[in-house]
Amino acid sequence: QVQLVESGGGSVQAGGSLRLSCAASGYTYSRHCMAWFRQAPGKEREGVAFIDSYGGANYADSVRGRFTASRDNAKNTLYLQMNSLKPEDTAMYYCAADFAGSWCYVPATQPNEYDYWGSGTQVAVSS
């Protein structure tokens, strides 16, 4: 069965960095778009980064220039390098897989377009 397992979250001070990982299994990872979403307490889930089968990525305006998403199709792993972290980046971070077709070229950006989700990893940024 499809499994997505995030890791790498933690507590950092503002200006610091973290690298999140998402290990995928149970499907042909390289064929599908992936994404990182986050959800802070009392807020809706929001998209952070969206990546196609070939590694091309798009970003939310709030993180562009600070976060970098990448994927290693040989290792079935998705990454999110987060630099210059801000307190407003504090949230639970989730990876997600979109199973709409094979060899994804244009990543979806809405949570309801993603079919599988990990359980999340917590990121806390203090000022």
Side-chain angles (χ1 to χ4, degrees), residues 15-84:
S17 298
L18 284 173
R19 188 192 195 204
L20 306 185
S21 298
C22 171
S25 61
Y27 69 105
T28 307
Y29 171 76
S30 59
R31 291 188 176 183
H32 300 282
C33 278
M34 301 290 295
W36 288 100
F37 288 84
R38 66 185 181 187
Q39 189 166 19
K43 294 189 176 181
E44 292 187 353
R45 191 167 296 191
E46 65 170 345
V48 174
F50 318 93
I51 190 165
D52 64 30
S53 294
Y54 306 95
N58 300 319
Y59 301 92
D61 289 343
S62 58
V63 306
R64 188 175 292 113
R66 300 187 297 122
F67 290 12
T68 303
S70 61
R71 64 189 299 163
D72 186 333
N73 287 343
K75 295 183 178 180
N76 289 358
T77 304
L78 178 71
Y79 302 99
L80 185 67
Q81 177 67 44
M82 306 187 296
N83 298 328
S84 303

Side-chain angles (χ1 to χ4, degrees), residues 10-18 84-91 122-127:
S11 297
V12 296
Q13 290 190 328
S17 298
L18 284 173
S84 303
L85 282 161
K86 304 176 180 180
E88 51 264 43
D89 295 318
T90 295
Q122 181 69 45
V123 171
V125 184
S126 59
S127 58

